[in-house]
C-alpha cells in the first residue's frame, strides 16, 4: 500500500486547471444506460470511482471506450439488470445505477451500498419514490429486487430532505415514465442541473432544475448525445484551501465560479483576497488565516458538506476560534482526530466542532478517514512543520485526479512512497 510523504512548509503559488466533477460524471455515466444509444461524455476525471462506473456499464452489456478525458458509451447492447455485490461495493454512488437500470430494463437486482464512513446513509427516499412510480421493491438481507408493475408512471414526489442521489434517480426514472413527475424539495446542487442538461440533450423534458421544484415530462424514447461534465467545485475548493493554509497565491482555471459561490465568502472570512471571472479564480492568502465565525453545512446553495473538512484544516492554524456545524451527515468529523495528531486543537460534540487555532502544525503519521477527510489532512500536512506520512490513499484516489502532480506543480513537496 503506498503512502504519501509530504514535506510541509512550502508556500503554494501558481496556476492549475480543475478537472470534471466526480459527483456529476458518476450519475451521468449511469444515466447513459437509458439513452439506448451512443453517448460521448467529455471532461471525465480519471478516478477510481469513474473506473468502477465504467466496469459496471461493461458488466451490464454496454460497450465503453475511454480516450483521455472522453468516455464513449454505447448502451444499445445493454442486457443485464443486476450489479454484482463486489462491483456495488467498489463505489457507494453505484446506487445511481438503480433508477437507470429500472428505467431501461423494467427490473433491477442490486445489493445495498450499506453504511459508510460518513454514517448509515439510508436510501429510503429513493425507494419510496420508486414505489410510488410503479416499482415493486423487495428489500431483503441487504439486496433489493425491483420490478416495474405495469408501466412506470409520473407522480408528485415531495422529498422530506433534498437528497442529491434520490433527486437524480427520480429524474432518470421519470424521464422514461408515462406522464409528468413533479419533485418538490428537490436537491439544487449544480450536479443535479448537469444531469438534467445531459438528460435533456438525450431528448428528456426536464424543467425547474436548480430550483426546489423539478418537473419531468416522461418521453417515449431517448437518444445518444455529446455532453461535457461541469468542473469539480470541491477539487477547486481543495486547491484554494492548500493555498490559503500555506499563505500562497493560486489561480484556478476551468472552474464554474457560480458553483463556488457558497464557499467563496468563507475563504474571504479567512482573510483570502479573491478575484473571479466566470471560469477563473485568483486567490491571495494572508500570512496567517483568520478564524471563521460559523460554518454550517447545508444543502445547496448552502455551504457544501464536502468542503467542511478542507476548510476546517485551514482554521487549525487560524488566529482565533472557529465553529463548524455538520447538518448533512451524522458522522463527518472523523478527520478531526487526525488533524489533532498535527497538534490542532479541535473539540467535537455530536454535529458541532470547535477549532481553536494554534500557531503551527507539526508533521506526523496520519490515516485517511474518508475522501474529503483525506484531502483535509493533506492540506494540513502542506502547512505542517516537518514531514507527514499519509496512509489510506485509496480514499483520495476516489475523488482527485493527479492530486500530487497538481499540488507539486504549485510548489508542494509531496510524493507517493511504498
Ligand atoms: C451526494 C454526493 C456527496 C455529497 C452529498 C451531499 C455524489 C456521488 N455524492 O451524496 O459527495 O456529500 O450528496 O451533498 O453525488 N438520506 C436519507 N435517505 C435517503 C437519501 C439520503 O436519509 O434515501 C440522507 C443521507 O443519509 C444524508 C443526507 O440525506 O444524511 C444527504 O444525502 P444525499 O443528499 O442523498 O447524498 P448522496 O446523494 O448520498
Amino acid at each position: 500500500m503506498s503512502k504519501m510523504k509530504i514535506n510541509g512548509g512550502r508556500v503554494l503559488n501558481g496556476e492549475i486547471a480543475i478537472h470534471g466533477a466526480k459527483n456529476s460524471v458518476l450519475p451521468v455515466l449511469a444515466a447513459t444506460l437509458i439513452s439506448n444509444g451512443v453517448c460521448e461524455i467529455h471532461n471525465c476525471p480519471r478516478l477510481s470511482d469513474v473506473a468502477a462506473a465504467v466496469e459496471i456499464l461493461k458488466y451490464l452489456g454496454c460497450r465503453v471506450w475511454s480516450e483521455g478525458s472522453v468516455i464513449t458509451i454505447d448502451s444499445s447492447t445493454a442486457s443485464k439488470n443486476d450489479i454484482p455485490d463486489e462491483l456495488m461495493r467498489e463505489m457507494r454512488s453505484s446506487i445511481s445505477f438503480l433508477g437507470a437500470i429500472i428505467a431501461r430494463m423494467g427490473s433491477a437486482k442490486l445489493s445495498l451500498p450499506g453504511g459508510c464512513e460518513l454514517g448509515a446513509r439510508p436510501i429510503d427516499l429513493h425507494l419510496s419514490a420508486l414505489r410510488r412510480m410503479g416499482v415493486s421493491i423487495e428489500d431483503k438481507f441487504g439486496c433489493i429486487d425491483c420490478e416495474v408493475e405495469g408501466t412506470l408512471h409520473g407522480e408528485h414526489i415531495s422529498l422530506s430532505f433534498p437528497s442529491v442521489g434520490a433527486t437524480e434517480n427520480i429524474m432518470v426514472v421519470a424521464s422514461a415514465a408515462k406522464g409528468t413527475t413533479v419533485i418538490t424539495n428537490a436537491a439544487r446542487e449544480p450536479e443535479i442541473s448537469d444531469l438534467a442538461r445531459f438528460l435533456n440533450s438525450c431528448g428528456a423534458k426536464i424543467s425547474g432544475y436548480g430550483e426546489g421544484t423539478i418537473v419531468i415530462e416522461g418521453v417515449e424514447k431517448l437518444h445518444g448525445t455529446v455532453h461535457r461534465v461541469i468542473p469539480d467545485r470541491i477539487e477547486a475548493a481543495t486547491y484554494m484551501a492548500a493555498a490559503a493554509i500555506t499563505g500562497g497565491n493560486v489561480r484556478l482555471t476551468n472552474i464554474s465560479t457560480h458553483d463556488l459561490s457558497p464557499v467563496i465568502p468563507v475563504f474571504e472570512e479567512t482573510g483570502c483576497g479573491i478575484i473571479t471571472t466566470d471560469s477563473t479564480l485568483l486567490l491571495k492568502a494572508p500570512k496567517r488565516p483568520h478564524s471563521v465565525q460559523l460554518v454550517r453545512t447545508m444543502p445547496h446553495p448552502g455551504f457544501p458538506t464536502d468542503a467542511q473538512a478542507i476548510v476546517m484544516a485551514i482554521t487549525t492554524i487560524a488566529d482565533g476560534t472557529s465553529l463548524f456545524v455538520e447538518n448533512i451527515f451524522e458522522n463527518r468529523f472523523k478527520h478531526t482526530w487526525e488533524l489533532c495528531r498535527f497538534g490542532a486543537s479541535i473539540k467535537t460534540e455530536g454535529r458541532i466542532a470547535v477549532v481553536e487555532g494554534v500557531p503551527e502544525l507539526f508533521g506526523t503519521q496520519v490515516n485517511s478517514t474518508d475522501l474529503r477527510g483525506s484531502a483535509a489532512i493533506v492540506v494540513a500536512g502542506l502547512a505542517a512543520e516537518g514531514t507527514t506520512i499519509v496512509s489510506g490513499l485509496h480514499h483520495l484516489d476516489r475523488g482527485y485526479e493527479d492530486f500530487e502532480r497538481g499540488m507539486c506543480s504549485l510548489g508542494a513537496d509531496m510524493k507517493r512512497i511504498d
Side-chain angles (χ1 to χ4, degrees):
M1 280 278 181
S2 60
K3 298 183 178 186
M4 190 82 80
K5 182 178 177 189
I6 307 169
N7 292 317
R10 311 274 169 120
V11 176
L12 265 57
N13 287 315
E15 178 171 309
I16 187 142
I18 297 303
H19 297 97
K22 169 182 97 70
N23 287 352
S24 250
V25 72
L26 298 175
V28 165
L29 286 175
T32 59
L33 255 188
I34 69 164
S35 74
N36 202 356
V38 178
C39 295
E40 201 178 283
I41 312 300
H42 291 245
N43 205 27
C44 298
R46 269 176 286 188
L47 305 171
S48 58
D49 268 10
V50 173
V54 165
E55 281 315 302
I56 293 175
L57 286 167
K58 286 182 179 166
Y59 174 83
L60 293 171
C62 300
R63 295 188 303 154
V64 187
W65 303 264
S66 301
E67 200 180 329
S69 64
V70 181
I71 301 180
T72 306
I73 304 102
D74 177 1
S75 65
S76 63
T77 48
S79 56
K80 289 208 175 86
N81 72 345
D82 69 304
I83 303 181
D85 190 49
E86 61 274 18
L87 283 179
M88 270 315 270
R89 283 177 195 277
E90 284 278 303
M91 165 180 84
R92 192 200 183 267
S93 36
S94 47
I95 193 63
S96 44
F97 277 90
L98 178 64
I101 297 178
I102 292 173
R104 174 70 194 277
M105 302 293 172
S107 60
K109 278 190 205 331
L110 311 184
S111 59
L112 290 174
C116 76
E117 51 283 341
L118 308 182
R121 299 191 81 169
I123 55 163
D124 53 312
L125 300 174
H126 303 239
L127 300 188
S128 66
L130 292 172
R131 285 193 171 105
R132 293 192 52 190
M133 297 175 81
V135 184
S136 88
I137 302 175
E138 251 190 70
D139 177 0
K140 264 197 209 151
F141 312 119
C143 285
I144 39 176
D145 206 334
C146 307
E147 183 95 41
V148 176
E149 287 184 326
T151 47
L152 287 170
H153 54 83
E155 261 295 338
H156 189 141
I157 291 162
S158 178
L159 293 174
S160 56
F161 183 89
S163 155
V164 173
T167 304
E168 289 167 349
N169 264 326
I170 299 166
M171 286 200 307
V172 169
V173 172
S175 295
K178 208 170 167 55
T180 303
T181 298
V182 179
I183 315 174
T184 49
N185 199 25
R188 294 191 274 167
E189 271 67 6
E191 295 76 20
I192 298 285
S193 300
D194 199 27
L195 176 63
R197 282 191 292 267
F198 163 74
L199 289 168
N200 281 349
S201 74
C202 293
K205 290 187 176 161
I206 306 177
S207 56
Y209 51 85
E211 301 295 332
T213 302
I214 300 179
V215 180
I216 307 120
E217 278 178 54
V219 294
E220 293 249 312
K221 239 180 130 196
L222 293 146
H223 50 75
T225 191
V226 177
H227 179 76
R228 185 175 175 84
V229 170
I230 57 170
D232 196 312
R233 58 199 169 108
I234 306 301
E235 187 195 22
T238 307
Y239 284 109
M240 289 165 72
I245 199 170
T246 60
N249 198 336
V250 290
R251 183 169 181 270
L252 307 182
T253 60
N254 187 30
I255 60 160
S256 162
T257 301
H258 182 257
D259 295 346
L260 281 166
S261 49
V263 301
I264 288 175
V266 177
F267 277 91
E268 286 174 334
E269 204 181 333
T270 68
C272 293
I274 292 180
I275 300 172
T276 59
T277 66
D278 285 350
S279 62
T280 66
L281 181 147
L282 185 66
L283 179 145
K284 188 170 175 6
K287 252 201 152 70
R288 183 181 181 192
H290 309 165
S291 56
V292 291
Q293 242 177 5
L294 175 60
V295 173
R296 249 188 309 204
T297 66
M298 302 286 263
H300 194 79
F303 186 87
T305 174
D306 287 351
Q308 177 254 108
I310 298 155
V311 168
M312 187 183 290
I314 309 170
T315 62
T316 57
I317 56 161
D319 61 353
T321 303
S322 307
L323 184 62
F324 290 80
V325 182
E326 172 55 53
N327 290 310
I328 307 296
F329 289 106
E330 59 189 22
N331 191 7
R332 203 166 199 179
F333 280 146
K334 283 190 181 162
H335 52 275
T336 59
W337 312 334
E338 302 300 312
L339 290 175
C340 287
R341 298 176 77 129
F342 288 96
S345 169
I346 308 174
K347 289 194 182 66
T348 59
E349 176 70 44
R351 289 176 180 251
I352 296 175
V354 180
V355 185
E356 277 182 54
V358 293
E360 58 182 333
L361 301 177
F362 299 94
T364 181
Q365 300 226 5
V366 273
N367 191 22
S368 299
T369 51
D370 58 86
L371 167 56
R372 303 306 169 184
S374 60
I377 58 181
V378 169
V379 166
L382 291 171
E385 172 74 35
T387 302
T388 293
I389 305 287
V390 184
S391 52
L393 299 182
H394 59 284
H395 288 297
L396 205 58
D397 295 337
R398 284 187 43 227
Y400 294 91
E401 178 176 338
D402 276 344
F403 196 48
E404 55 271 36
R405 180 135 37 117
M407 288 293 182
C408 291
S409 74
L410 297 175
D413 179 356
M414 61 195 267
K415 66 171 180 209
R416 283 187 198 232
I417 51 169
D418 284 326

